[in-house]
Amino acid sequence: MPAPDDRLTPRQRRDRVVRREALAAALVAAREQAGLNQSQLAQASGLSRSAVVRLEKGDASISSDRLWDLARALGTKPSALYPAAEANEAAGRTLD
C-alpha cells in the first residue's frame, strides 16, 4: 500500500505524480497496441473498469500482483511496461 501523501516530502509527492503519469502512458500505449478498450482490458485482467481508468489517468498506484495481471491481459510482460515509463524524460529524472 502506498504511503499517504502527508507522510511524503514535497519531492516524493512530485516524483509519485510523474512516475504514475509515465506508467499510465505506458499502459495506454500497451492497451492500444493490444487492440483493447478499457472495458476489455478490465475484463481480461480481473480489474474493474474504474481501476483501469484511474491507472490510465495516473490517479492510482498498482500492486505488483495487479501489474502481472494487466501484463498478461495485454499479451506482454510486466518488465516490458517499465522501459516505456522510464523513457519519459521527467520520470527518468526522478531516479537522480
Side-chain angles (χ1 to χ4, degrees):
M1 176 180 283
D5 282 349
D6 64 348
R7 292 193 175 209
L8 301 175
T9 67
R11 178 180 176 172
Q12 288 173 318
R13 284 194 297 273
R14 283 190 308 272
D15 288 353
R16 176 183 275 181
V17 169
V18 169
R19 291 171 181 166
R20 285 182 179 179
E21 288 174 354
L23 187 56
L27 287 171
V28 170
R31 178 180 55 76
E32 290 174 349
Q33 184 171 351
L36 300 174
N37 64 37
Q38 291 173 331
S39 295
Q40 292 167 325
L41 177 57
Q43 184 175 9
S45 67
L47 274 77
S48 67
R49 183 178 176 280
S50 62
V52 171
V53 169
R54 286 191 312 274
L55 288 168
E56 288 190 355
K57 288 175 131 184
D59 291 342
S61 64
I62 186 168
S63 73
S64 59
D65 292 332
R66 291 319 231 170
L67 187 63
W68 280 81
D69 294 337
L70 279 173
R72 181 179 46 224
L74 293 166
T76 191
K77 297 177 182 180
S79 60
L81 297 170
Y82 282 109
E86 290 170 11
N88 176 296
E89 188 176 321
R93 283 194 306 267
T94 69
L95 298 171
D96 296 337

